[in-house]
Amino acid sequence: MKAAKFAICCLLAVICFAIASRPATIVGTGESSARYVRADARNVYFCVDMDDSKALFAIPYTYCAELLATVGDWYYVKYAEDDGKYQALYGYCRKEGMTPISEPPENVYLNMSVTVTFKQDSINPSLPALSELSVSAAFYGTYYSGASAYSYVLYDGNFGYVYGAHDDYPLNEIPEPEKPAEAPSKGANVKLILIIVLIAVAAVALLILYLTGKNAKFKRT
């Protein structure tokens, strides 16, 4: 009987060792747990609809949009906040070039002002005229059309474009991507086979001890 108990303890020890030796499963960050999507390319456009022809501006590189929903190959997002010179915009951007993240960078949206100069057409030189007027507008992003670039800005409640790009903004630091889980090595496979063999041997030994004890009891009777 003592031998049977000893065999049972050995079997339990082997099983516990096998469970403890199982490799851990690495869980990545997917769209379901993401709160934001980060622009990891410079040509991801914010669009008013799921249509590339309705693009307004390229989301500034390394900055984010708040992820509201996923629709096929598109993200429905919010860009910017109703804060200061900025107003929140709701629209779509393609998944390609955007990375879903659960924790935002230090600066989620680019907050940068650009100078816009209003200049009137020439008038009668004998009449007094106002000089050029320069104002500060909220910069959202750049729209590229062929070789030309335009900045999408907001001033005094009105959105519009001004000529020229303003892409010299500071960038967020992008963390290094996590390395994918390595495939089990040959050594790990050998270890797994050894564990299975030990479990089988322990089970057979337990069965033999049980049958031997049962036969001995039967002979005594």
Side-chain angles (χ1 to χ4, degrees), residues 130-150:
L130 292 176
S131 59
E132 297 178 352
L133 177 63
S134 297
V135 299
S136 180
F139 172 76
Y140 278 75
T142 305
Y143 181 85
Y144 296 94
S145 178
S148 300
Y150 305 88

Side-chain angles (χ1 to χ4, degrees), residues 1 11 58 65 68 106 162 181:
M1 193 65 182
L11 179 60
L68 302 178
E106 181 179 357
V162 295

